[in-house]
Amino acid sequence: MAKSFIIWGGSGHALVLADILAFEGENIVALFDNNPEIKSPFSGVEIFHGLSGFDRWKLRSLDREKYSAAIAIGGDKGRIRREIAQHFIDLKVSVPSLVHPNAHLSASATVGVGCHILAGAVVGAATVISDHVIVNTNASVDHECRLAHGVHIAPGATLCGCVTVGENSMVGASACILPRLTIGANSVIGAGAVVTRDVPAGTVYVGNPARLLKKLGTGKTSND
């Protein structure tokens, strides 16, 4: 029986999730977005803006346990993705994980709630993926990796075996993280970077080999 899905986010990631839901025969019945300029990309699906719009939807939708939700917010916004998901969970709206049928997910991997494993992604043996993680199109997460809550692995990125990524961190498109390294929490790895050593929490690393660009929240740059 098809579920009624609501999606927070009305831009590109919502379109990607709509593809997965279409494969599974699910229905999108409402959208939410904080940007009042965003219009619904789906014919006949109403969009609500901001928390005030969310409150209006709550008043109209009293039988909320029949809905499921997906959070279509990518980039390095894992913390925001998790906070919005919690709003739905508090209302007893389920936030299931969505796996594209053309992704490969090892039978020995574990995946938390609210995750998105997109087309062409590979998740290797004994990998542990926590809640609200995105493994984007054609990304590769090899054996025994550990992805904490709110992580985003961008399109085409490669995590070699036994890599640990801390919560809310983002690994940019086509970046490569060498085996047995740790990316600290709330960090960003730039697109195309090749990471050859551990990355401290709250930093941005770019280049090949990857070097510190700045510490997040300080604006400080470095030539290290």
Side-chain angles (χ1 to χ4, degrees), residues 3-24:
K3 299 176 184 176
S4 295
F5 260 84
I6 51 182
I7 297 179
W8 194 297
S11 298
H13 198 67
L15 298 175
V16 174
L17 296 184
D19 279 350
I20 299 177
L21 295 175
F23 276 115
E24 298 181 354

Side-chain angles (χ1 to χ4, degrees), residues 135-152:
V135 181
N136 219 314
T137 306
N138 290 329
S140 177
V141 179
D142 214 332
H143 62 90
E144 302 169 272
C145 287
R146 299 290 183 271
L147 308 186
H149 301 310
V151 164
H152 182 184

Side-chain angles (χ1 to χ4, degrees), residues 21-101:
L21 295 175
F23 276 115
E24 298 181 354
E26 314 290 20
N27 299 315
I28 300 172
V29 297
L31 290 170
F32 304 86
D33 201 290
N34 286 334
N35 183 351
E37 303 299 319
I38 295 290
K39 298 181 180 179
S40 174
F42 307 118
S43 177
V45 178
E46 187 174 3
I47 188 166
F48 301 84
H49 295 105
L51 289 177
S52 61
F54 185 62
D55 289 339
R56 289 198 307 276
W57 176 82
K58 286 192 295 184
L59 291 174
R60 288 168 41 178
S61 306
L62 299 180
D63 189 15
R64 292 188 288 267
E65 293 186 16
K66 70 180 182 180
Y67 296 102
S68 295
I71 316 304
I73 300 175
D76 57 344
K77 296 180 174 62
R79 179 183 58 80
I80 295 172
R81 193 160 59 247
R82 294 166 62 189
E83 288 175 354
I84 293 173
Q86 192 60 50
H87 283 304
F88 287 115
I89 292 169
D90 290 345
L91 290 172
K92 302 188 184 303
V93 174
S94 67
V95 185
S97 288
L98 301 176
V99 180
H100 194 283

Side-chain angles (χ1 to χ4, degrees), residues 10 16 26 48 67 78 99 107 131-132 145 153 159 164 174 185 206 217 221:
V16 174
E26 314 290 20
F48 301 84
Y67 296 102
V99 180
D131 298 342
H132 310 299
C145 287
I153 309 301
L159 274 58
T164 297
S174 298
V206 300
T221 60

